[in-house]
Amino acid sequence: MKKILKEFREFISRGNVLDMAVGVVIAAAFTGVVNAAVSGLVTPIVGLFIPNTTFAEWAPGGFAIGAFINALITFFVTAVVIFAIVKAVNAARKLSKKKEEEAPAAPTTKTCPYCLSDDVKIGAVKCPHCGSELPPEE
Ligand SMILES: [Zn+2]
């Protein structure tokens, strides 16, 4: 039991679990918004073309086609928006990664202009290979 508790704590403290939990909560709330938007805005418009009933209650021959199409539209809208969010997050991640990569490590060696040895330490005033006086660094 202690081992399981310890494993659970490690699992939680990894950080991405929290991210995931936030994602799940936001997704649940978002699904409600999409549901309301689809059943409140999209299907009434479609329902204008179906006489004598609302689209969500449209069930020719006992098949609840209206409710099914409602669910399909909700699914597609949710999928598209989630896809857009994931794409935006990925792009932002790539951008911040790129920024990190763009800052190159400061060089620690320079090239001697006389013998072209490229492992002369920055700050050296004489080349260790040919003994030439090196020009001052700018
Ligand atoms: Zn040299």
Side-chain angles (χ1 to χ4, degrees):
M1 190 65 201
K2 227 177 176 179
K3 204 180 160 206
I4 292 170
L5 254 155
K6 191 176 164 249
E7 271 183 29
F8 182 71
R9 210 172 51 219
E10 278 168 11
F11 176 70
I12 290 291
S13 58
R14 246 183 275 163
N16 50 3
V17 174
L18 246 168
D19 291 349
M20 206 173 73
V22 170
V24 168
V25 170
I26 289 175
F30 178 72
T31 303
V33 173
V34 174
N35 257 328
V38 169
S39 64
L41 300 171
V42 177
T43 51
I45 295 168
V46 180
L48 292 178
F49 302 100
I50 303 163
N52 303 327
T53 180
T54 59
F55 185 68
E57 287 155 8
W58 187 46
F63 294 102
I65 289 174
F68 177 67
I69 291 175
N70 251 1
L72 272 185
I73 294 171
T74 303
F75 173 77
F76 277 116
V77 171
T78 309
V80 166
V81 172
I82 297 281
F83 176 71
I85 291 172
V86 168
K87 258 195 107 157
V89 168
N90 277 346
R93 267 199 198 137
K94 222 184 245 170
L95 206 77
S96 65
K97 211 177 195 181
K98 213 174 178 187
K99 257 183 203 158
E100 277 168 27
E101 281 166 2
E102 264 169 15
T108 57
T109 59
K110 59 183 177 178
T111 303
C112 170
Y114 303 105
C115 70
L116 299 180
S117 302
D118 58 2
D119 58 346
V120 181
K121 283 199 174 69
I122 293 281
V125 291
K126 259 191 180 168
C127 174
H129 300 286
C130 64
S132 304
E133 302 258 343
L134 296 174
E137 287 143 28
E138 58 294 330

